């Protein structure tokens, strides 16, 4: 390159730089989250830091990693990746995380991101408004999008994300915002299903008998015939008819109803899960990427399945924070659950490592017990739960009325994250669209399809 | 509501009422409710904060409030005056505080707000999103309902 050319080049570069400097009126700190580039207005960024060993705050929202002492100021640490349900690499407790310390109004927060890149200056006029199809992060938290040197940056609106007065509301709204679409995307198949009166049977007499049994089951055992359990009922009914004399078909007492329902219940009801059953459930579950696993276990009864599940998840995801909300509306059953005591000999081998010896016998270790919230709660009332990774609801839906089953299923659909798993009783089917059946035959498992 | 929270409230309501009224108190069947429900006439409310959020409401009719306040003060009170209100408020405070103390021993951190009292006719209390545990208590002076609505902070 000749001197002149080099000079000319330098001049144009300088001009260009000058021109750009004229226009630059917006500076942002750029960083990556789940492999994508994001930016935050530098005026909101107090500093950047590397830190670890945050103090865990019990019962905080899943995306709150804890608090941190920043030179004497206690600040809350929020994991943006968890907040936005993005994949986050797991680090052990001692390693340091990349932190952006943000100042919004009078509040100082630390947010954890994957990598902090650099400061980029741009012209605010070139910021494009967010497009509604942006997937990972709700549009209302996006200020805009900008291109800089061949890279696209999504600029987050941190004021909206972290304004304390609105924070709670926003947290509540985030699942709600995604709901409205999912609700319409998953119409209930109930509407098309044959009504109980028109259940498929050959003769009119059989219809009447079957209807009678449905009624008596509802009366004695609160069993609600619906598309959830229709195939089981039909199979069971024809077997029942074969095994009984003509005048013994109908259920006359509660014990008849119990006999009829004998084959309905899932494996390991009222006891800890056996190795085989736990393995089958584990096989049915899709891998869970999230660091904090939220599980809802409505109708947990005495709590055996909640403990079994907690141990199974602990084994599979030792690093994850597991939270199980276990509800039952039977006060007597659930009030024993938090302090369940076992004889060592009665314990299946797999649970022994999770137990400690107490005064009255063997109980589950604190770590397992802390991961389960046993609640006296009626699922037909409001269910205030965060977005869920797994719903375990075995043989509970079938004991609600058809109307209540629908309500609860809609609630499942609303609360489940995309890709979340649902486990029903072995003889129950998921009638909602948008859920894909997975896993072996002895576990009725479904995965919510991503939209 | 978490199972661990139920007993402390039931026990302390029972113990405190029995102690201050020096009478036989019976506990009715517990149940859950989420819809709005009528308030009988006098309602003392104590807010809870900490690991959880929620409130405890003590609900009774005016005649019961007067009789309970009379019994606690050892004198016949005929009108719903400041003294009666202060007495009912104190009863609410004692019961909630004892429950919170018990919960503290179990490792749960709760804070109380100062109690407030509401009186009037045709009142209704509604809780959106939180179901309430109702603990009915039968005293010789009338019925008192303890209405506990607590939820974990999500």
């Amino acid at each position: 390159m000749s001197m002149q050319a080099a000079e000319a080049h330098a001049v144009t570069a300088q001009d260009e730089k000058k021109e750009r400097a004229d226009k630059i009126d917006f500076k942002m700190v750029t960083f990556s989250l789940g492999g994508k580039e994001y930016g935050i207005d530098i005026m909101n960024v107090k500093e950047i830091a590397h830190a670890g060993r945050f103090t865990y705050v019990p019962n905080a929202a899943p995306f709150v990693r804890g608090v941190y002492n920043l030179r004497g100021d206690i600040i809350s640490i929020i994991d943006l990746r968890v907040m936005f349900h993005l994949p986050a690499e797991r680090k052990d407790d001692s390693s340091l995380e990349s932190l952006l310390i943000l100042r919004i109004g009078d509040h100082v927060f630390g947010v954890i991101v994957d990598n902090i890149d650099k400061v980029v200056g741009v012209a605010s006029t070139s910021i494009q408004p967010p497009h509604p199809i942006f997937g990972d992060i709700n549009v209302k938290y996006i200020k805009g999008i900008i291109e800089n040197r061949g890279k696209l940056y999504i600029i987050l609106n941190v004021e909206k994300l972290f304004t304390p007065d609105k924070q709670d509301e926003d947290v509540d709204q985030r699942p709600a915002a995604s709901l409205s679409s999912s609700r319409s995307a998953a119409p209930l198949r109930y509407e098309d299903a044959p009504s109980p009166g028109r259940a498929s049977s050959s003769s009119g007499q059989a219809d009447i008998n079957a209807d009678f049994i449905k009624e008596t089951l509802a009366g004695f055992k609160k069993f609600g015939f619906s598309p959830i359990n229709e195939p089981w009922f039909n199979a069971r009914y024809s077997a029942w008819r074969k095994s009984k004399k003509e005048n013994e078909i109908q259920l006359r007492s509660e014990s008849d109803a119990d006999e009829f329902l004998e084959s309905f219940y899932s494996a390991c009801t009222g006891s800890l899960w056996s190795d085989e059953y736990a393995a089958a459930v584990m096989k049915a579950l899709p891998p869970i990427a999230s660091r904090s696993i939220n599980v809802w276990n409505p109708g947990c009864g005495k709590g055996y399945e909640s403990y079994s599940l907690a141990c199974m998840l602990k084994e599979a995801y030792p690093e994850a924070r597991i939270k199980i909300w276990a509800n039952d509306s039977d006060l007597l059953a659930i009030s024993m659950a938090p302090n369940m005591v076992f004889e060592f000999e009665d314990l299946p081998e797999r649970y022994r490592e999770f137990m400690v010896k107490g005064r009255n016998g063997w109980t589950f270790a604190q770590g397992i017990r802390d991961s389960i919230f046993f609640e006296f709660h009626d699922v037909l009332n409001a269910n205030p739960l965060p977005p869920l990774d797994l719903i375990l609801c075995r043989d509970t839906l079938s004991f609600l009325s058809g109307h209540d089953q629908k309500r609860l299923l809609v609630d499942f659909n609303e609360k489940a994250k995309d890709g979340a798993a649902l486990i029903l009783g072995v003889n129950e089917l998921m009638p909602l669209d948008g859920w894909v059946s997975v896993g072996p035959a002895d576990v009725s498992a479904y995965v919510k399809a991503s939209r | 509501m978490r199972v661990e929270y139920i007993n402390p409230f039931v026990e302390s309501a029972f113990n405190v009422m029995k102690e201050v009224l020096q009478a036989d108190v019976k506990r009715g069947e517990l149940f859950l409710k989420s819809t709005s429900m009528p308030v009988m006439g006098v309602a003392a409310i104590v807010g809870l904060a900490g690991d959880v959020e929620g409130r405890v409401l003590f609900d009774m009719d005016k005649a019961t409030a007067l009789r309970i306040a009379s019994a606690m003060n050892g004198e016949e009170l005929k009108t719903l005056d400041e003294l009666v209100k202060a007495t009912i408020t104190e009863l609410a405070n004692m019961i909630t505080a004892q429950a919170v103390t018990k919960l503290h021993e179990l490792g749960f951190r709760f804070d109380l707000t100062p109690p407030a009292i509401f009186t009037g006719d045709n009142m209704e209390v509604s809780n959106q999103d939180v179901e309430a545990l109702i603990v009915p208590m039968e005293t010789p002076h009338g019925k008192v309902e303890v209405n506990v609505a607590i939820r974990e902070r999500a």
Side-chain angles (χ1 to χ4, degrees):
Chain A
M1 200 190 281
S2 74
M3 273 300 258
Q4 260 177 340
E7 222 165 83
H9 187 80
V11 168
T12 39
Q14 217 166 17
D15 281 351
E16 240 174 52
K17 209 170 167 186
K18 198 168 166 237
E19 202 182 339
R20 203 164 40 231
D22 287 340
K23 284 195 286 181
I24 287 174
D25 56 354
F26 182 82
K27 284 192 171 180
M28 59 182 187
V29 180
T30 64
F31 56 92
S32 63
L33 285 179
K36 286 185 198 151
E37 307 294 327
Y38 295 86
I40 287 181
D41 187 347
I42 201 166
M43 299 310 286
N44 291 121
V45 181
K46 186 168 167 275
E47 61 188 284
I48 60 174
H50 283 277
R53 295 180 184 281
F54 308 115
T55 307
Y56 175 61
V57 181
N59 274 328
F63 52 78
V64 177
R65 277 283 288 277
V67 291
Y68 179 66
N69 185 345
L70 180 77
R71 296 184 299 274
D73 290 328
I74 306 299
I75 60 171
S76 352
I77 303 297
I78 286 156
D79 194 328
L80 273 189
R81 300 163 303 189
V82 177
M83 197 165 191
F84 295 135
H85 308 311
L86 294 170
E89 62 175 303
R90 284 181 193 170
K91 290 187 177 171
D92 50 315
D93 284 348
S94 56
S95 63
L96 300 180
E97 302 271 15
S98 298
L99 276 183
L100 284 166
I101 312 291
L102 306 182
R103 188 201 295 280
I104 292 137
D106 296 335
H107 294 264
V108 176
F109 301 91
V111 300
I112 300 176
V113 298
D114 281 338
N115 278 304
I116 297 170
D117 192 15
K118 57 179 181 256
V119 177
V120 173
V122 293
S124 59
T125 48
S126 56
I127 298 175
Q128 314 257 337
H131 192 274
I133 57 166
F134 285 173
D136 296 337
I137 294 176
N138 198 316
V139 170
K140 70 177 185 210
Y141 303 121
I142 299 177
K143 196 179 260 172
I145 190 160
I146 192 155
E147 191 259 325
N148 184 270
R149 288 168 194 261
K151 273 189 182 168
L152 282 178
Y153 295 96
I154 295 168
I155 305 171
L156 294 180
N157 189 340
V158 283
E159 285 99 339
K160 251 197 184 149
L161 256 178
F162 296 119
T163 301
D165 293 341
K166 287 180 62 191
Q167 195 177 357
D168 280 352
E169 189 191 324
D170 286 351
V171 168
D172 284 341
Q173 271 172 7
R174 197 169 316 120
S178 58
L179 280 189
S180 47
S181 53
S182 67
R183 195 181 278 156
S184 54
L188 283 170
R189 233 186 273 158
Y190 268 91
E191 270 66 51
D192 329 323
S195 70
R198 286 189 281 117
S200 52
S201 277
S202 46
S203 72
Q205 183 62 40
D207 261 351
I208 292 170
N209 272 334
D211 286 350
F212 232 86
I213 289 184
K214 284 170 202 163
E215 300 258 311
T216 38
L217 280 179
F220 285 128
K221 302 301 289 180
K222 296 206 168 72
F223 182 88
F225 173 82
S226 72
I228 292 175
N229 46 44
E230 190 180 349
W232 174 82
F233 181 87
N234 291 342
R236 176 69 183 142
Y237 175 65
S238 52
W240 180 262
R241 253 176 57 194
K242 279 186 200 123
S243 69
K244 297 279 167 182
K245 288 191 214 123
E246 188 61 36
N247 59 351
E248 281 178 353
I249 288 176
Q250 284 174 20
L251 312 174
R252 290 204 182 76
S253 64
E254 200 168 333
S255 59
D256 281 356
D258 281 332
E259 195 188 334
F260 190 92
L261 287 176
E262 220 163 41
S263 68
F264 178 74
Y265 301 103
S266 305
C268 307
T269 295
S271 65
L272 292 173
W273 292 355
S274 63
D275 286 350
E276 297 82 49
Y277 190 72
V281 172
M282 199 59 229
K283 217 173 113 196
L285 283 185
I288 300 170
S290 161
R291 282 181 74 108
S292 61
I293 302 177
N294 294 333
V295 184
W296 185 17
N297 182 202
C300 66
K302 295 201 169 82
Y304 288 105
E305 62 180 25
S306 318
Y307 281 117
S308 307
L309 185 73
C311 294
M312 193 193 87
L313 289 173
K314 190 85 202 160
E315 229 167 34
Y317 304 102
E319 307 255 305
R321 218 171 295 129
I322 299 162
K323 274 192 185 173
I324 302 178
W325 283 264
N327 321 137
D328 206 287
S329 58
D330 180 348
L331 182 57
L332 266 183
I334 196 154
S335 54
M336 305 304 290
N339 299 307
M340 213 188 274
V341 180
F342 297 87
E343 295 295 328
F344 194 73
E345 295 72 41
D346 301 345
L347 281 170
E349 188 78 37
R350 59 182 283 114
Y351 298 104
R352 294 189 178 173
E353 59 171 309
F354 299 109
M355 312 292 280
V356 287
K357 193 164 168 46
R359 248 174 305 158
N360 307 319
W362 288 76
T363 57
F364 280 99
Q366 201 63 38
I368 295 288
R369 280 162 48 175
D370 285 349
S371 66
I372 310 175
F373 292 156
F374 284 109
E375 293 175 316
F376 175 43
H377 170 65
D378 190 340
V379 287
L380 301 176
N381 295 338
N383 297 303
L385 292 166
L388 299 164
D389 298 281
L390 172 62
I391 299 169
L392 175 69
C393 182
R394 302 190 313 155
D395 307 338
T396 302
L397 282 165
S398 290
F399 293 91
L400 300 172
S401 74
H403 172 74
D404 292 342
Q405 291 180 10
K406 264 187 251 180
R407 264 179 55 197
L408 197 53
L409 283 173
V410 170
D411 217 14
F412 284 178
N413 202 36
E414 286 175 3
K415 302 249 155 57
K417 295 180 190 170
D418 285 352
L422 166 70
I423 298 177
L424 296 176
V426 67
N427 292 311
E428 295 176 315
L429 301 174
M430 178 65 174
L432 290 195
D433 286 336
W435 291 80
V436 185
S437 172
V438 291
D442 44 354
V443 179
S444 179
Y446 294 83
V447 168
K448 185 178 179 184
S450 311
R451 273 172 287 113
Chain B
M1 188 161 92
R2 276 187 79 165
V3 175
E4 290 92 332
Y5 304 156
I6 297 176
N7 252 337
F9 280 102
V10 175
E11 271 174 30
S12 55
F14 186 80
N15 291 343
V16 170
M17 295 238 245
K18 207 168 157 179
E19 200 182 308
V20 299
L21 298 175
Q22 296 289 331
D24 219 18
V25 178
K26 281 201 219 57
R27 174 171 73 74
E29 196 72 24
L30 309 185
F31 60 98
L32 292 169
K33 200 154 187 177
S34 83
T35 45
S36 61
M37 50 190 299
V39 172
M40 286 185 267
V42 179
I45 189 166
V46 186
L48 296 171
D51 287 357
V52 296
E53 51 198 12
R55 52 105 187 118
V56 189
L57 188 85
F58 299 82
D59 183 20
M60 63 200 88
D61 61 26
K62 276 186 188 153
T64 308
L66 283 173
R67 282 194 294 266
I68 287 180
S70 303
M72 284 173 72
N73 285 296
E75 59 181 291
E76 185 85 355
L77 298 167
K78 291 223 159 39
T79 51
L80 203 69
D81 54 10
E82 287 305 310
L83 179 61
V84 173
K85 288 180 190 167
T87 312
I88 300 298
T89 314
E90 183 52 24
L91 177 66
N93 210 12
M94 283 163 77
I95 295 176
T96 317
Q98 200 182 92
V100 167
T101 311
K102 282 182 184 166
L103 284 164
H104 206 92
E105 283 159 10
L106 293 173
F108 299 104
R109 302 280 175 271
F110 283 57
D111 284 324
L112 296 187
T113 64
I117 192 158
F118 299 87
T119 57
D121 297 321
N122 283 327
M123 293 194 299
E124 213 179 60
V125 58
S126 53
N127 278 86
Q128 267 181 328
D129 292 356
V130 196
E131 64 187 356
L133 171 79
I134 316 290
V135 188
M137 310 286 286
E138 288 288 347
T139 76
H141 308 289
K143 192 170 85 169
V144 179
E145 272 190 6
V146 186
N147 174 320
V148 190
I150 309 179
R151 73 163 166 199
E152 303 300 304
R153 300 222 287 172

